[in-house]
Amino acid sequence: MLTGPFPTYRMSQGIQCPGPSISLSPFVTGGTSWATPQVKTTRVPVYSTADKDDNGEPDSPGKILYYSEIPRYEKHNHDLNIGITATLTVPLDGGLTARCKRAVETNIELQQQLLATKRLEYELFRAQQCGQLAESRVQFRPGSRYAQVCEAIVVYVPPKKVIPHVHAISAPSAGSSDVQK
């Protein structure tokens, strides 16, 4: 039986909510009883009921003629009790339980938002690092286990910025007609 506080459901951030409970307690009891000392017979006095003068009253009231022995059939008494007790315990302050459940829901939403924020921070950091690597013309070797880290990152050339590059320039030949002019 639950005689103390209700079962408490513990959540993160120290939130503890009392809840209803049911307690089932099966039991078996038994017992034996007997009388001691055990007497096998009972002696019962037999009184004189003689009425010689026929006046309706015994001549010797209270005179014990003999004792009659009556057998006693003593026996052991056994008992067996089987059962179950059930106790349903419910907090009386339903408002407290409702507020506690709201606090748990709020805490779950807060943790989900925190997780989403951490995921965004990770993705932004990854994009920044992969972009810097691409601008410096460094990349992971294709097929390595790290190559897929920057796989989804696309680097665009910002406006008014020229990416370092090389052009092949050919020099005109000396016998060309354009050179003599």
Side-chain angles (χ1 to χ4, degrees):
M1 292 188 62
L2 185 64
T3 57
F6 293 105
T8 303
Y9 304 98
R10 288 176 173 76
M11 311 299 174
S12 63
Q13 306 297 322
I15 298 173
Q16 299 181 15
C17 299
S21 67
I22 185 167
S23 173
L24 300 174
S25 304
F27 65 88
V28 176
T29 61
T32 302
S33 64
W34 61 89
T36 57
Q38 281 195 344
V39 179
K40 303 286 185 201
T41 59
T42 300
R43 294 186 69 195
V44 178
V46 176
Y47 296 98
S48 171
T49 57
D51 183 13
K52 291 183 184 175
D53 55 4
D54 244 358
N55 65 355
E57 293 184 17
D59 295 335
S60 303
K63 181 180 177 185
I64 298 175
L65 299 175
Y66 60 92
Y67 286 92
S68 171
E69 289 193 1
I70 301 173
R72 292 177 58 161
Y73 299 101
E74 291 185 1
K75 56 188 174 217
H76 296 287
N77 294 319
H78 301 279
D79 65 86
L80 178 66
N81 298 307
I82 299 173
I84 189 167
T85 59
T87 305
L88 176 63
T89 311
V90 179
L92 295 177
D93 186 3
L96 175 64
T97 304
R99 285 191 305 274
C100 193
K101 288 179 181 178
R102 274 198 321 269
V104 169
E105 292 299 321
T106 302
N107 187 43
I108 290 171
E109 289 174 13
L110 181 63
Q111 288 178 353
Q112 289 173 339
Q113 184 59 47
L114 183 61
L115 181 62
T117 301
K118 291 295 182 186
R119 183 69 187 178
L120 177 63
E121 288 175 2
Y122 167 76
E123 293 297 338
L124 289 174
F125 179 76
R126 186 174 74 92
Q128 180 185 19
Q129 295 301 313
C130 289
Q132 288 175 357
L133 286 173
E135 284 180 351
S136 64
R137 303 185 51 80
V138 174
Q139 65 181 4
F140 292 106
R141 181 178 304 154
S144 75
R145 64 180 178 165
Y146 301 109
Q148 45 187 291
V149 170
C150 293
E151 193 173 84
I153 305 298
V154 178
V155 178
Y156 294 102
V157 177
K160 298 182 183 178
K161 183 172 182 183
V162 177
I163 294 178
H165 60 284
V166 177
H167 289 278
I169 301 176
S170 59
S173 62
S176 169
S177 61
D178 292 336
V179 176
Q180 296 174 351
K181 291 185 184 172

